[in-house]
Amino acid sequence: MSINLVPMPNEFHTDYKLFFRRNILESITVEYDSEYSAEEYSIVIDDKGAAVKCSTKAGENCAHQTLRQLEFGYSGNIPYLTIHDKPAFSHRGFLIDCCRHFFTVEELKKMIDAAALFKFNKFHWHLTEDQGWRMEIKKYPLLTEKGSQRPYSNFGRYYDSKPYGGFYTQEEMKDIVEYCRKKSIDVIPEIEIPGHSSACLHAYPHLSCTGKEVPVRTHAGIFKDILCAGKEEVYEFLFNVIDEMTAIFPGEYIHIGGDEAPKDRWKECPHCNRKMRELGLENYEQLQGYMLNRIYDHLQKKGKQAITWNESLRGGNLEKGIIVQNWMEKNDECTIRASQGGKIIVSDFFHYYVNYPLGMTPLKKTYMYEPIPSELHENMRKNIIGVETPVWTEFIDNFEDMSKMCFPRMAAVAETGWTNRDKKDYVDFKHRLTYVIRMVEEMGLKYPDVSQWDPRFLQSAKQVIKFAYNMYNKETVKALRK
Ligand SMILES: [Zn+2]
């Protein structure tokens, strides 16, 4: 038996015999019960309306989203039912890259509305990159004055000769935080350390190893100029930036990057090499571990938790308390870390990256992915704290295209994050989603027709070829050769 809800509740019962025939949202009573865990809730719908039980505002919000979906799906004709529900994972996140392309506060709010509908509880906000620094930091005004602007954009088909830029003021970021708070979504801002930092180095070149001018990048890629790990002034800069971030973002987490940082400059840098010798470090990956550990210590003093991408495990010296976000499929280092008690968030590239065409990552592939590695011992499975779906925007330059990439696949990640594995069923999910997804259209988002959610082989091949073709033009090929 099923019901038009996404994610599917973990326990529900109805016999579809009796119906509540008014607007359920106007007939809700809420009772707080301390026996319930944070996001747990129950709902009983009978002739009096909906009686909700929960122990926190987060639980109440989850119940509210369930009721909104019921009201929409059954339009004033909701069967009497009981639901008792709580999430499979505590971390259910979505990442938006606002650096490669910029999205306005109003656009982000639409995405947040849609994410809340599916009970996401973490908004990972990617704010600093090679192609633009998007976060106002008052102590370092050049970060946004210079670092938020690039002279043109060269993302294949999305070639645009006009200057491109934008950033969020601290007031705007606080506005987003407050908007999310009302929906029980924590904002996790990300500052990329030490790589993906060209825009930062363009504003303040002395923070790199060479001290030479670095451009804000105009094309996609991985760049050799990264923050120097040997200069003390780099740490001072990062601590100051993070102090302003912690004043804006009251949540528990700050993401400190740690991915795709080539060590070419560090190898030639007297400061980095001196630091390595002083600390007795064996290799440059350990130097990255040291750098991120220092940031982590600083965050801990402020009562904050740090998250990094999985590459930061390579040195083998990353502090145990740092949460690792794994984007490489079934990464062994992550499995080992989880088996030793380290916390892991799963964002697998091949399944959860929604910036690739449905022909490459169809809905079913995203839905069927099992985030917990099978080799992980039962007792250690709790260390996989959740799932997160990123939308990277090198090849997405407007909100409509972004929302079409995010939906329907974000809903599949939401259900994996919420619904227990034994309750998941793809055919049923897809059927339920065809109803519920119409709600995101009312929020101003677009999604592809259901016939495109799981494309057939030829259609898939066409999409993948077109996508690859669109990534390149004469300029990008030239840049890649360089
Ligand atoms: Zn250096």
Side-chain angles (χ1 to χ4, degrees):
M1 188 164 47
S2 190
I3 191 158
N4 289 338
L5 290 171
V6 177
M8 185 66 177
N10 280 305
E11 279 174 46
F12 93 99
H13 177 75
T14 175
D15 53 19
Y16 290 105
K17 279 184 184 152
L18 294 165
F19 294 86
F20 184 83
R21 296 185 196 277
R22 280 174 285 134
N23 185 336
I24 198 77
L25 301 175
E26 287 162 8
S27 322
I28 305 174
T29 58
V30 180
E31 185 190 331
Y32 275 57
D33 181 337
S34 59
E35 296 284 299
Y36 281 58
S37 56
E39 294 182 301
E40 185 178 2
Y41 70 91
S42 63
I43 299 173
V44 176
I45 295 178
D46 58 21
D47 58 332
K48 295 189 282 296
V52 170
K53 256 193 201 179
C54 55
S55 69
T56 64
K57 186 74 192 162
E60 190 179 333
N61 276 334
C62 288
H64 185 70
Q65 298 299 351
T66 300
L67 288 164
R68 280 181 67 207
Q69 290 190 9
L70 286 170
E71 176 58 31
F72 182 87
Y74 294 88
S75 47
N77 226 351
I78 302 172
Y80 286 11
L81 56 77
T82 58
I83 291 175
H84 185 194
D85 206 9
K86 61 179 176 187
F89 293 99
S90 62
H91 186 112
R92 304 179 306 281
F94 62 105
L95 178 161
I96 303 178
D97 169 10
C98 294
C99 300
R100 274 58 176 262
H101 285 101
F102 182 77
F103 299 92
T104 65
V105 167
E106 289 317 306
E107 287 169 338
L108 291 179
K109 284 181 178 175
K110 286 182 194 173
M111 279 297 293
I112 291 160
D113 288 341
L117 179 70
F118 295 100
K119 300 187 174 72
F120 279 98
N121 65 356
K122 307 279 185 245
F123 168 34
H124 177 166
W125 197 358
H126 192 74
L127 285 164
T128 76
E129 257 304 338
D130 295 307
Q131 295 84 359
W133 180 286
R134 307 275 174 241
M135 158 171 65
E136 181 192 31
I137 298 294
K138 295 200 166 144
K139 198 172 171 84
Y140 300 105
L142 298 183
L143 286 172
T144 43
E145 262 171 50
K146 293 181 76 182
S148 73
Q149 304 294 321
R150 61 179 181 248
Y152 60 97
S153 301
N154 184 18
F155 299 106
R157 179 170 76 93
Y158 303 98
Y159 184 85
D160 188 344
S161 60
K162 287 194 293 294
Y164 187 94
F167 67 90
Y168 305 99
T169 64
Q170 296 201 349
E171 286 314 305
E172 285 171 328
M173 291 186 281
K174 286 178 187 165
D175 180 28
I176 288 286
V177 166
E178 178 57 15
Y179 195 78
C180 284
R181 189 191 63 79
K182 287 186 187 145
K183 294 168 191 292
S184 303
I185 293 175
D186 299 326
V187 180
I188 304 174
E190 179 175 358
I191 171 175
E192 280 273 18
I193 305 168
H196 287 295
S197 50
S198 303
C200 170
L201 298 177
H202 178 68
Y204 296 100
H206 69 282
L207 300 174
S208 75
C209 291
T210 63
K212 285 184 195 148
E213 173 93 17
V214 171
V216 178
R217 305 295 174 176
T218 51
H219 59 279
I222 298 174
F223 301 94
K224 288 180 185 169
D225 291 294
I226 65 175
L227 289 160
C228 177
K231 295 179 183 171
E232 275 307 301
E233 62 215 90
V234 172
Y235 295 92
E236 190 194 329
F237 166 82
L238 290 171
F239 293 160
N240 286 334
V241 169
I242 281 171
D243 289 351
E244 282 196 37
M245 288 172 77
T246 55
I248 302 163
F249 299 100
E252 190 182 351
Y253 303 107
I254 294 206
H255 201 299
I256 56 176
D259 61 317
E260 298 184 325
K263 303 300 183 297
D264 305 61
R265 298 284 183 264
W266 286 9
K267 287 175 188 165
E268 318 240 289
C269 171
H271 309 281
C272 287
N273 284 305
R274 195 186 56 238
K275 187 68 94 185
M276 293 244 307
R277 279 195 306 278
E278 275 170 20
L279 297 164
L281 299 174
E282 287 162 19
N283 56 54
Y284 295 93
E285 296 303 334
Q286 288 194 351
L287 185 58
Q288 174 165 327
Y290 159 80
M291 188 178 200
L292 296 175
N293 288 345
R294 263 185 86 174
I295 308 298
Y296 167 71
D297 286 342
H298 186 76
L299 283 168
Q300 288 274 292
K301 283 183 205 135
K302 306 198 139 258
K304 299 279 181 189
Q305 200 44 269
I307 307 175
T308 67
W309 296 103
N310 59 261
E311 288 98 314
S312 305
L313 288 172
R314 286 177 185 160
N317 61 339
L318 195 71
E319 284 281 358
K320 280 283 168 286
I322 299 179
I323 297 166
V324 175
Q325 185 165 10
N326 182 21
W327 67 279
M328 291 177 187
E329 190 180 29
K330 299 286 186 298
N331 179 298
D332 286 346
E333 286 163 341
C334 286
T335 307
I336 293 166
R337 189 166 173 95
S339 69
Q340 293 166 346
K343 303 275 185 281
I344 306 287
I345 297 162
V346 177
S347 291
D348 183 63
F349 172 86
F350 292 103
H351 300 85
Y352 288 176
Y353 275 37
V354 295
N355 40 295
Y356 295 98
L358 279 153
M360 183 171 145
T361 311
L363 180 64
K364 186 174 183 181
K365 185 173 172 183
T366 301
Y367 187 84
M368 297 307 285
Y369 185 67
E370 170 49 51
I372 297 180
S374 54
E375 61 272 34
L376 192 59
H377 190 274
E378 193 125 3
N379 295 338
M380 291 297 162
R381 295 189 170 184
K382 61 177 187 298
N383 293 326
I384 308 296
I385 61 169
V387 291
E388 197 175 294
T389 175
V391 58
W392 301 103
T393 59
E394 287 97 332
F395 307 108
I396 299 173
D397 66 351
N398 66 82
F399 183 71
E400 185 176 320
D401 283 357
M402 177 166 74
S403 73
K404 277 183 179 167
M405 288 305 223
C406 290
F407 290 96
R409 287 174 290 192
M410 255 174 77
V413 179
E415 182 147 309
T416 299
W418 185 277
T419 307
N420 295 337
R421 194 172 161 187
D422 61 337
K423 296 273 184 350
K424 284 179 66 188
D425 175 331
Y426 182 64
V427 174
D428 185 56
F429 162 77
K430 196 169 174 180
H431 179 76
R432 286 181 273 119
L433 188 60
T434 52
Y435 291 92
V436 177
I437 202 165
R438 292 181 202 152
M439 292 180 80
V440 308
E441 202 160 25
E442 291 192 348
M443 297 170 184
L445 283 85
K446 295 270 191 274
Y447 59 89
D449 184 75
V450 61
S451 61
Q452 294 171 39
W453 293 0
D454 291 299
R456 286 168 190 276
F457 178 76
L458 265 183
Q459 201 183 350
S460 295
K462 259 192 223 162
Q463 284 181 18
V464 173
I465 291 165
K466 187 176 165 207
F467 181 80
Y469 179 76
N470 283 339
M471 281 172 70
Y472 300 103
N473 60 30
K474 251 196 238 159
E475 296 299 319
T476 44
V477 171
K478 235 193 276 173
L480 273 180
R481 279 221 195 100
K482 256 170 92 184

